[in-house]
Amino acid sequence: METQAGAHGRVTGRPRSAPPPRPRSTADRLTGWAVTTAGAIVAAYLVFYVSGRGGEELRTVIADGVYLPISLIFTVLVVRVVRLRRQSRRSRIAWGFIAGAYVCQLVAHTSWFVEDAVLHDAAYPSFADYWFLAFVPFMLVGLLLLPGSQRTRSDRVRLVLDALTVGASAFMVLWYLVLSPIFGTDGASLSGLLYAAALPVGDLLLVLALATLLLRPSTAVDPAVRLLAGAVSMFVVADIWYGWIQLHDGFVGGTWPDLFWVFGCYLLVLAADRRLVDAGREASSRLAHRLATDWLPYGAIAIAYGALGVIAQREGLYPLGGMIIGAVVLTALVAGRQMYALHENHRLAVTDPLTGLSNRAHLTELITRMAVQTPRDDRQGAVMLIDLDRFKPINDVYGHDAGDAVLQAVAVTLRSVIRSTDVAGRLGGDEFAVVLPYLPDRSVAERIAQRLVDALRTPVIFGEHLLSVEASVGVAYHDFDTFDAQTLLQHADIAMYAAKRSGRGRYQVYTPELDTRARDAELRQAVENGEMVVHFQPAIDLVTGGVSAVEALVRWQHPHRGMLPPHDFVDLAEETGAIVPLGTWVLREACTQAASWRAAVPELHDLRLSVNLSPRQVVQPGMLETIQTVLDETGFPADRLILELTEGVVLEPDARTVTSLEQLRAVGIRIAVDDFGTGYSALSYLRLLPVDILKIDRSFVTGIDVDPEARRVAEAVVHLGVAFGMNVVAEGIETAEHARLLTEMGCGFAQGYFFCRPVPGGELLEKLRDGAGKASFTPL
C-alpha cells in the first residue's frame, strides 16, 4: 500500500473566483433601454411641470400623452414576467393578475388621452375612469396571491391585527377627505357619486392588501413588491384628490395629481423590470421583518391621530381636546410598552442562553439575507462553521459544567477576534458559526479564520484543570452559485469536515472538489467510464533477488487532473462507500492481468498477486462470494492470491471479521497486514488471527542507515513478525543500504522504489519476462 507523509500546518483551499454574470440577451438589453427611456420621459415631464411653461391646453396634452409610452413599456415588461419559467406556479398566477391590472392602466390612459386631450369630453365618470377602477380588483387579487412563507397561527393573528390597524387608520383619512364630502355633495349625478365612492373604497382594499403583503415575513424585502407598494401608494394619493376635485371643481390635466400618477406608472415599470431580474432567485427560507414594516401599524396610528387633531381644530372641538391628548398619550404609552416587550422577546428569541451569542434561528436569518444579495467585487460575504475538536472528552471526564465553561470561553474568543460588522453565534452543541457580510476581499475571511484557529488553542482554566480544545473551521464564500442559506451552510460544513480530515486545528476554504457527494458521484462514474487503471509493484526476495509477488495499486486517470495516486481518492471512496465497487473492480482487473501473465510466461506460474482489501469490503455481506466469483471468472487460483488488510481492521476485529478471514484462508487465500506499526498496539491479535504476512510500514525503514535507534526499532519489528511465524515484507526500500540492513535483520522480502516503481501491467510483464530465467520466484 502506498502512503504519503502528512502535510503540517494549516490547510487552505484556494478561493474560487466568482463566475462572471450571465451574458445579457437581446431581450435583456431591450428591456434595459426601455426602462431607461421611461425614466427619461418621467424626468423630462418633471422638468416641464416645474418650469411652469405653456398654457392650460398644452400642459393637459403633454400630461395626458406622457402616460402612453410609459404604460406601453410596463405592459410589455409585465408580459415578459408572466412568461418567465424561472418562478413558481403561484408567482406566475399572481403576476398574471398584476399584468391584467397593468393592461387596465394601458387602456385607461389611452382612452383618457383621446377623451381629454383630443375630444375634450368632460364627462364624469368617463370611459377611462371605469378602466382605472378595473385596475383595483386585478391588482388586489395579484397582491394577495403573491407567495409568502409558512406562518404559525400566532403569526397569522398578528398579521390580521396589524393589517386591520393600518386599514382602520386609512379609513379614517378616506372618510374625512372623500367619503364624507361625497354624501354631502348636492347636484352630483348618481353615477358620479357611486364612482367617487367606489374609487376610495377600492383604494382602501389596496391599502389593506399592501399592509398584509408588507407585513408578511418573506415578501417584505422583495424589491419588486416594494416597488409595487410604492406605485399603488402613489395612485391612492392621486385618486383621493382626483375624486374630491371632480366633485367640487372639475379635474384639469397637468395639475399636481398627475405627478403622483406619472411616478406611480414609472414604479410599475421598475417593479416589472426588477421581477425579471429576481424571478429565479426567490428566497427559500423565512426572512425577518424589515424595520420599516415593523413600524407600519404605529405609523398608521400616528396618521389617524393627526387627522383627528386637524378635525378637532377645524370643528372647534376644544372641549374634547384634553381627551384627545390623553388618548394619544395613552396609546403612545401602550405602544411603547408593547415595542419594548417585543424588543426583549426578539432578543431572547435570537440569543443563545449559554453563550450570549446569536442562536441558530438568527444566524440562519442573517445568512439568508446575505445570500439573496447580488455578489459584488467590492462587497464579499462569507460564512464560517467552527467545530470544537476534543470537546466530548471534556464533558465525559470533567462534567457538563466544565463543558459549559469551555463554550462560554469560546464565545468570548469569538467576540474578540471578529470584526464589529460580523456576527458570531452558536448552532448547537460545540458547533459555532460566524457571518461575515461585508468583506473588502476574500483574504480578510481567511485571516479571521486563522486568528480564530490560533486563539481557540488557548487553554481554558476550570478550577484546578487546564482544558484544551482546538477548532476545525470551514469557510464558504457567497458567490453566484449560492443564493440561499442552506447552500452556504452546506458548503461551510463540507469545508469544516475537510479540515477535520486533514488533521484538525486548522481551517479549510470550500471548493467544489471538497464536495464528497459530487466527488463520490464522479468517482463512481470514473469506474464505469474506465478511467481507473491498475499499476503493479513487485515484492523482492532479499535472499534470492527474485520477484516473489506483485502488488496491485489503483490509479485514477482523471480527464482534467491527470493521473491521481490512491491517497487522492481512496479515503473519500472509503468514506462514501464507493470503495466497495472500486475494490471489486481492482480485484477483477488485477486477477485478469495476473492470469494472462501466467498463461503467457510459464515461469510466472508461482507468482503471487497482492490486492488491498478495504475495511468496508471486509465487513461487506457476501464478501467471500464476491471474491470467489472474481476468481472463477478470471481463472486466477485462490492459493496465489494475497489480500492486504490495514492494521486497524486486524487489530480491532469482531467475531464477524475473524470468521470472514478464516473463510478466506480456508480456500487458500493468504492474509497480510499492511502498514504494520501505524496503528495502536494490540499484539495479541497477531497471534490469534489468521494472518500470514506482516508488511512493515515505511516509517520503520526510513533512517535505518543513519540512525542507530531507528535501526534497532526496525530490527525489533522484524523479529516480532518472525516470532509470530509470519513472512515479513518491508515497504519503502529506497537504497541498497536499506536492503542490506534489512537482510541482516532477518527480513525476508522487500518492496520499494529501489527495486521498481509501480508500473502498468504491460511494462511489468516485460520486466518479468526478461528476468524470468535469471532469478527464481520465491512464494511468500
Side-chain angles (χ1 to χ4, degrees):
M1 166 90 55
E2 291 180 315
T3 62
Q4 182 186 42
H8 298 284
R10 67 178 183 171
V11 173
T12 61
R14 177 174 296 176
R16 182 172 43 138
S17 60
R22 178 177 58 89
R24 301 191 72 192
S25 64
T26 301
D28 292 334
R29 288 194 294 271
L30 290 174
T31 296
W33 294 338
V35 174
T36 302
T37 300
I41 293 173
V42 172
Y45 177 72
L46 178 61
V47 171
F48 172 77
Y49 180 86
V50 173
S51 68
R53 295 182 179 180
E56 180 179 311
E57 184 174 353
L58 176 62
R59 295 177 71 85
T60 299
V61 172
I62 292 178
D64 294 344
V66 77
Y67 295 104
L68 299 181
I70 298 176
S71 57
L72 180 61
I73 289 172
F74 65 55
T75 302
V76 172
L77 294 184
V78 82
V79 169
R80 280 198 66 197
V81 170
V82 176
R83 296 179 62 187
L84 279 177
R85 299 293 180 182
R86 305 192 311 270
Q87 56 184 330
S88 66
R89 181 174 179 272
R90 180 166 175 174
S91 289
R92 294 191 67 193
I93 294 174
W95 278 91
F97 278 97
I98 294 172
Y102 277 36
V103 171
C104 290
Q105 283 279 326
L106 174 63
V107 175
H109 287 304
T110 303
S111 59
W112 178 263
F113 178 80
V114 174
E115 295 173 37
D116 189 49
V118 179
L119 301 178
H120 303 290
D121 184 2
Y124 177 78
S126 66
F127 178 76
D129 286 326
Y130 291 111
W131 283 99
F132 283 126
L133 186 60
F135 166 85
V136 172
F138 280 100
M139 181 59 72
L140 178 67
V141 175
L143 293 176
L144 294 178
L145 285 180
L146 284 172
S149 61
Q150 295 293 327
R151 299 184 297 277
T152 63
R153 182 177 179 275
S154 61
D155 288 336
R156 291 194 296 269
V157 171
R158 189 178 70 170
L159 175 63
V160 171
L161 292 176
D162 287 346
L164 290 177
T165 300
V166 175
S169 301
F171 176 77
M172 291 174 64
V173 175
L174 289 172
W175 178 267
Y176 176 69
L177 293 177
V178 181
L179 294 177
S180 178
I182 287 174
F183 295 113
T185 301
D186 297 327
S189 65
L190 179 61
S191 60
L193 290 173
L194 291 177
Y195 181 85
L199 192 59
V201 170
D203 287 339
L204 177 61
L205 293 176
L206 288 180
V207 169
L208 282 170
L210 284 175
T212 304
L213 192 65
L214 293 177
L215 290 167
R216 289 194 310 192
S218 66
T219 53
V221 295
D222 186 347
V225 171
R226 292 203 302 269
L227 291 167
L228 281 177
V232 172
S233 299
M234 292 283 185
F235 292 153
V236 169
V237 173
D239 288 347
I240 291 173
W241 286 107
Y242 172 73
W244 192 89
I245 293 172
Q246 282 285 24
L247 286 175
H248 292 79
D249 304 319
F251 177 76
V252 177
T255 53
W256 69 266
D258 278 307
L259 288 178
F260 284 84
W261 281 320
V262 168
F263 278 105
C265 289
Y266 182 57
L267 289 177
L268 293 182
V269 173
L270 295 180
D273 176 63
R274 187 67 189 188
R275 182 59 188 170
L276 286 172
V277 175
D278 293 343
R281 296 175 50 192
E282 294 179 349
S284 59
S285 54
R286 176 174 177 161
L287 300 177
H289 292 192
R290 281 293 181 94
L291 183 60
T293 58
D294 281 341
W295 282 88
L296 191 58
Y298 305 108
I301 292 173
I303 292 173
Y305 272 118
L308 188 60
V310 172
I311 295 170
Q313 182 180 7
R314 291 186 177 181
E315 301 297 331
L317 299 179
Y318 284 107
L320 301 177
M323 297 180 65
I324 294 174
I325 293 174
V328 171
V329 172
L330 286 174
T331 304
L333 290 174
V334 172
R337 182 180 182 279
Q338 182 188 20
M339 285 188 288
Y340 178 78
L342 288 174
H343 174 76
E344 284 299 299
N345 290 338
H346 180 264
R347 185 183 63 81
L348 293 174
V350 301
T351 303
D352 175 60
L354 177 63
T355 62
L357 301 176
S358 296
N359 61 12
R360 176 184 289 272
H362 190 216
L363 288 171
T364 303
E365 172 188 314
L366 295 176
I367 296 170
T368 302
R369 289 184 183 178
M370 182 176 68
V372 298
Q373 296 176 354
T374 302
R376 296 198 322 233
D377 292 338
D378 60 341
R379 188 186 66 191
Q380 303 285 333
V383 174
M384 292 182 187
L385 278 190
I386 304 158
D387 190 78
L388 301 183
D389 303 324
R390 299 194 301 273
F391 176 76
K392 187 176 183 298
I394 292 176
N395 261 340
D396 295 342
V397 175
Y398 300 102
H400 289 287
D401 289 342
D404 290 347
V406 170
L407 295 177
Q408 290 168 344
V410 169
V412 173
T413 301
L414 289 178
R415 291 192 188 98
S416 67
V417 171
I418 63 176
R419 306 167 305 157
S420 60
T421 55
D422 304 330
V423 178
R426 181 182 174 217
L427 294 175
D430 62 340
E431 193 171 40
F432 296 81
V434 178
V435 183
L436 305 98
Y438 304 110
L439 297 171
D441 58 74
R442 295 190 170 191
S443 63
V444 175
E446 295 194 48
R447 289 197 295 270
I448 294 174
Q450 186 59 50
R451 289 204 302 268
L452 281 175
V453 169
D454 295 338
L456 290 173
R457 290 195 179 104
T458 304
V460 177
I461 300 176
F462 180 72
E464 299 177 352
H465 305 286
L466 281 179
L467 307 178
S468 297
V469 294
E470 288 185 318
S472 297
V473 180
V475 183
Y477 293 110
H478 169 41
D479 54 28
F480 288 91
D481 294 331
T482 51
F483 288 138
D484 59 86
Q486 182 179 0
T487 302
L488 263 175
L489 285 171
Q490 186 180 70
H491 287 179
D493 189 64
I494 290 170
M496 185 263 290
Y497 277 103
K500 281 186 175 293
R501 289 195 300 269
S502 300
R504 304 175 186 269
R506 57 193 67 196
Y507 77 86
Q508 174 74 53
V509 176
Y510 172 81
T511 60
E513 291 76 18
L514 297 177
D515 192 338
T516 55
R517 294 178 303 174
R519 292 181 62 201
D520 176 51
E522 183 185 27
L523 184 58
R524 293 175 186 269
Q525 193 66 35
V527 176
E528 298 177 4
N529 294 343
E531 297 174 13
M532 296 296 174
V533 296
V534 177
H535 288 187
F536 297 88
Q537 186 178 34
I540 307 300
D541 187 322
L542 291 175
V543 177
T544 67
V547 177
S548 59
V550 292
E551 180 182 1
L553 300 166
V554 66
R555 300 286 190 271
W556 184 358
Q557 184 62 59
H558 197 281
H560 305 297
R561 299 167 61 193
M563 188 69 76
L564 301 181
H567 59 73
D568 278 356
F569 59 89
V570 167
D571 287 344
L572 172 68
E574 185 75 39
E575 179 182 337
T576 63
I579 193 67
V580 175
L582 176 61
T584 302
W585 179 87
V586 172
L587 177 64
R588 180 177 286 105
E589 182 69 15
C591 288
T592 299
Q593 291 203 39
S596 67
W597 297 343
R598 287 165 54 87
V601 183
E603 292 84 354
L604 302 181
H605 187 268
D606 291 330
L607 184 68
R608 288 189 181 272
L609 172 66
S610 181
V611 181
N612 290 281
L613 197 65
S614 78
R616 277 195 180 242
Q617 287 177 282
V618 173
V619 299
Q620 191 74 11
M623 178 195 66
L624 179 62
E625 290 78 5
T626 299
I627 294 173
Q628 189 62 58
T629 299
V630 170
L631 294 176
D632 293 341
E633 290 175 354
T634 61
F636 190 79
D639 61 357
R640 298 290 95 191
L641 178 63
I642 302 172
L643 293 178
E644 297 187 13
L645 309 176
T646 60
E647 184 182 4
V649 174
V650 177
L651 298 184
E652 297 181 7
D654 54 17
R656 181 178 176 182
T657 300
V658 174
T659 301
S660 297
L661 296 180
E662 290 175 343
Q663 290 175 339
L664 291 172
R665 286 195 72 189
V667 298
I669 297 173
R670 308 189 78 182
I671 305 299
V673 176
D674 192 22
D675 297 334
F676 178 75
T678 58
Y680 296 99
S681 298
L683 300 180
S684 60
Y685 285 127
L686 291 179
R687 188 170 62 87
L688 299 176
L689 291 174
V691 177
D692 307 289
I693 301 163
L694 198 66
K695 299 191 74 173
I696 302 174
D697 186 71
R698 67 181 63 222
S699 61
F700 288 97
V701 175
T702 302
I704 63 173
D705 53 343
V706 295
D707 186 352
E709 183 178 351
R711 189 180 310 129
R712 288 193 295 270
V713 172
E715 187 172 10
V717 175
V718 170
H719 291 168
L720 176 66
V722 173
F724 280 119
M726 301 177 186
N727 288 312
V728 179
V729 182
E731 296 181 299
I733 310 302
E734 297 184 355
T735 67
E737 184 66 9
H738 286 168
R740 185 186 68 79
L741 291 173
L742 286 167
T743 302
E744 292 178 356
M745 295 175 190
C747 180
F749 308 90
Q751 187 176 338
Y753 284 6
F754 173 68
F755 301 110
C756 182
R757 291 175 177 270
V759 294
E763 183 178 340
L764 181 62
L765 177 59
E766 293 303 317
K767 292 179 179 292
L768 294 175
R769 195 194 302 271
D770 293 342
K774 301 177 183 178
S776 61
F777 293 94
T778 306
L780 290 177

